[in-house]
Amino acid sequence: MKIFLDTADTELIQKHFATGLVDGVTTNPTLIKKSGRDPEEVYQELIDLGLPDISMEVVGTGEEMVAEGRRLAKKFGQNATIKVPCTRGGLAACRILASESIKVNVTLIFSAAQAILAAKAGAAYVSPFVGRVDDNSFDGVSLVAQITGIFREHVARTQVLAASVRDVSSVSKCFGVGSDIVTMPPTVFEKMYNHILTEKGLDLFQQDWDSVNNSTKE
Ligand code: E4P
């Protein structure tokens, strides 16, 4: 049950990685653009922080993705997971990179059929996009459940990394249907700690504790 952060904001990653509860990071071109930084500077900073698993997205033709994936894997070693889209070119690149023992995350998965092809291409992870499926009036968690069910039935080595997660309840639901990893924005990770009844209960315990201490001092 692994938690990844879906961001390229290294300050936030550092803060949350320090909890010991975060296992990796996923980035994409949009998140890198939002950070306003050079992608490789971001990856290097995360490696220096000790992040063991960083998804680094590559673009272009199949050949270009292979070349870039090889280069990134050589530069960043075992910490690098090369992220490719679930297209013909992306899956062809996945097959080649996986055959060279380079970890690949196949992203932009919107159907079980795509996840099956990615698993056959040797992907370490498939990333079904829960929130974007929900946005289009399908059920993102059901898609995750369908994929985990197929992978379990066929003892696939590919892990399911639920992505595009936008709220805490989706995190629990994705793990509940067997997702190996859930990647989420830092805001969602922070909200996982919260529950109104924990706060209320804590207030009451504190009040009672204070009154016990006051009465024993009298
Ligand atoms: C997956 O790895 C992507 O980075 C991400 O989860 C996409 O999320 P979004 O749909 O919120 O952009």
Side-chain angles (χ1 to χ4, degrees):
M1 205 166 50
K2 290 188 174 173
I3 290 178
F4 282 16
L5 293 179
D6 196 29
T7 180
D9 184 328
T10 54
E11 263 182 47
L12 283 175
I13 294 167
Q14 179 170 22
K15 174 180 159 196
H16 295 306
F17 185 55
T19 63
L21 305 177
V22 169
D23 304 285
V25 165
T26 49
T27 64
N28 64 37
T30 307
L31 294 170
I32 294 284
K33 183 179 170 198
K34 208 168 143 194
S35 77
R37 297 185 56 192
D38 173 71
E40 294 186 30
E41 235 181 72
V42 171
Y43 306 151
Q44 191 56 57
E45 199 177 323
L46 297 181
I47 287 167
D48 295 343
L49 287 174
L51 264 300
D53 194 333
I54 304 151
S55 281
M56 308 171 182
E57 192 152 342
V58 292
V59 297
T61 64
E63 291 77 18
E64 286 165 344
M65 286 190 258
V66 170
E68 187 61 357
R70 280 183 181 141
R71 191 186 66 76
L72 290 169
K74 191 167 176 211
K75 181 165 180 185
F76 297 109
Q78 274 307 303
N79 308 52
T81 297
I82 307 306
K83 204 171 169 190
V84 301
C86 192
T87 57
R88 281 172 194 266
L91 293 185
C94 176
R95 277 196 71 214
I96 295 168
L97 294 170
S99 75
E100 295 171 13
S101 301
I102 294 171
K103 272 184 300 171
V104 181
N105 174 359
V106 178
T107 190
L108 289 166
I109 297 260
F110 292 93
S111 74
Q114 289 180 310
I116 291 166
L117 292 181
K120 285 191 61 71
Y125 308 137
V126 289
S127 291
F129 272 37
V130 176
R132 293 196 200 183
V133 170
D134 289 340
D135 289 345
N136 286 281
S137 307
F138 297 96
D139 180 1
V141 174
S142 297
L143 171 61
V144 174
Q146 205 186 349
I147 297 170
T148 57
I150 293 167
F151 284 8
R152 203 170 33 242
E153 187 71 23
H154 294 275
V155 201
R157 274 183 303 184
T158 305
Q159 297 195 322
V160 179
L161 189 166
S164 181
V165 163
R166 287 148 190 189
D167 54 68
V168 172
S169 87
S170 298
V171 175
S172 314
K173 287 179 192 159
C174 287
F175 280 127
V177 296
S179 198
D180 301 283
I181 306 164
V182 177
T183 191
M184 65 196 80
T187 45
V188 173
F189 177 69
E190 284 194 49
K191 285 184 190 154
M192 285 181 74
Y193 284 91
N194 301 341
H195 200 285
I196 184 71
L197 294 179
T198 306
E199 283 161 36
K200 277 192 170 178
L202 187 62
D203 281 349
L204 186 60
F205 284 155
Q206 187 66 51
Q207 282 170 30
D208 290 344
W209 190 246
D210 292 344
S211 71
V212 168
N213 280 337
N214 290 337
S215 63
T216 52
K217 277 180 201 149
E218 279 164 10

